[in-house]
Amino acid sequence: MTGRLAGRTILVTGAGRGIGAALARGMAEQGAALVVTDRDEPEAAAVAQSIRDSGGHAVHARADVTDRDDVRAAIALAAAEFGRLDVCFNNAGFNEPEKFLDITEPVWDRILRVNAFGVVVGSQEAARQFIRQGTGGKIVNTASIAGRQGFPSFAPYCASKAAVISLTQAGARALAEHRITVNAFAPGVVRTPLWDKLDRDLERIGEGESGFDAMAGDIILGRPAEPEDLVPTAVFLAGPDSDYITGQVIPIEGGMVLV
Ligand SMILES: NC(=O)c1ccc[n+]([C@@H]2O[C@H](COP(=O)([O-])OP(=O)(O)OC[C@H]3O[C@@H](n4cnc5c(N)ncnc54)[C@H](O)[C@@H]3O)[C@@H](O)[C@H]2O)c1
């Protein structure tokens, strides 16, 4: 297969829908072989099937990013099916809003475990595979504008995405000696199923006016992102054109947080 990512094997977590599914499909169109992983196996299977139906290469695995054995098995599948792993996208994440004064320990723990510790596990296991192969590799994390700016009803989520940015920087310094780069992209407001639940949850806690439409209203390019808007940057970060970039966070948000 030809394309900017031909010959590369790429694993994406949380790829059963939303941003991860769009990245998997978009990178497959550029010739990459995809390992589509998600906690929700049928959704991951459907995305892998749609890639194969379009003439691409893909397998799927059920993997919860907080379960190291799951992540190891998905990476082993990449090596077994395609011979090696070249890029790991740590994309899985979720939000569960609470007003600042109402933040609870279980919600804090759940969000930080998936959004932050999940990135630790994915980065470690991908890096171990790259080191075993002796090839170097690329790790790409899904951060958020919420990691750069605190939003009052999303504090645990914001903290988790600030952690993703810190892990991107720490990982870049830790893994450079193994020819592994670690970068992130930071979406703003992207039209995905994440927002369906988030809008309902915001309504429930009396913050309905701060949902998708309100946040999208602050975007200076005048519209929210579609998941496909993120694909060109993902292709860039997964491909050879970004080889001399590490420890960086690329905002893709139509102009929301200007710093
Ligand atoms: N949608 C946005 O506006 C937006 C903005 C900035 C950042 N993000 C981030 O982008 C990433 C993808 O979000 P999305 O909007 O596509 O969400 P989504 O809810 O549409 O999709 C997320 C996927 O991740 C999976 N997932 C959740 N927890 C998991 C776990 N523990 N292990 C494995 N898979 C798990 C879900 O099953 C789902 O398929 C997340 O990290 C999110 O925080 C989204």
Side-chain angles (χ1 to χ4, degrees):
M1 205 169 195
T2 56
R4 299 181 68 74
L5 301 176
R8 296 194 173 214
T9 302
I10 302 179
L11 185 151
V12 184
T13 70
R17 66 181 195 207
I19 292 170
L23 299 191
R25 291 193 179 101
M27 294 191 292
E29 279 173 19
Q30 291 297 326
L34 264 294
V35 181
V36 178
T37 76
D38 202 285
R39 170 173 75 175
D40 184 334
E41 183 167 16
E43 293 213 332
V47 172
Q49 185 63 52
S50 74
I51 291 171
R52 290 193 297 271
D53 290 346
S54 305
H57 302 294
V59 292
H60 82 276
R62 195 204 65 76
D64 184 318
V65 293
T66 66
D67 184 320
R68 195 176 289 278
D69 289 342
D70 280 3
V71 175
R72 278 191 184 142
I75 289 172
L77 180 68
E81 288 286 330
F82 303 120
R84 55 189 269 167
L85 181 69
D86 297 289
V87 188
C88 176
F89 278 77
N90 293 311
N91 168 74
F94 78 105
N95 193 359
E96 205 174 325
E98 287 181 326
K99 288 184 185 175
F100 193 85
L101 289 177
D102 299 334
I103 292 170
T104 59
E105 199 172 330
V107 167
W108 173 271
D109 287 349
R110 270 202 295 278
I111 292 180
L112 269 289
R113 186 158 175 81
V114 173
N115 295 9
F117 185 63
V119 170
V120 174
V121 172
S123 302
Q124 288 176 320
E125 296 306 324
R128 287 185 179 126
Q129 177 66 23
F130 298 147
I131 292 166
R132 270 194 300 273
Q133 293 172 177
T135 54
K138 289 171 182 263
I139 295 168
V140 184
N141 300 324
T142 303
S144 170
I145 55 158
R148 292 275 197 223
Q149 183 161 309
F151 295 93
S153 299
F154 300 159
Y157 180 79
C158 294
S160 76
K161 291 299 183 178
V164 172
I165 293 171
S166 298
L167 291 167
T168 301
Q169 296 167 346
R173 290 194 195 281
L175 299 173
E177 66 174 300
H178 301 293
R179 292 185 293 126
I180 298 168
T181 63
V182 188
N183 291 295
F185 60 92
V189 181
V190 190
R191 197 188 306 277
T192 70
L194 175 142
W195 276 101
D196 301 338
K197 180 174 177 304
L198 196 49
D199 273 348
R200 282 198 304 276
D201 288 348
L202 285 166
E203 200 71 52
R204 182 174 42 75
I205 65 168
E207 294 287 330
E209 73 288 352
S210 56
F212 183 86
D213 291 338
M215 287 197 70
D218 287 339
I219 297 171
I220 63 178
L221 291 184
R223 66 170 179 86
E226 302 301 329
E228 291 70 25
D229 286 315
L230 311 182
V231 169
T233 304
V235 170
F236 170 69
L237 289 174
D241 291 346
S242 60
D243 279 355
Y244 194 62
I245 297 177
T246 196
Q248 306 302 317
V249 181
I250 300 181
I252 319 173
E253 35 84 289
M256 287 184 78
V257 178
L258 307 184
V259 286

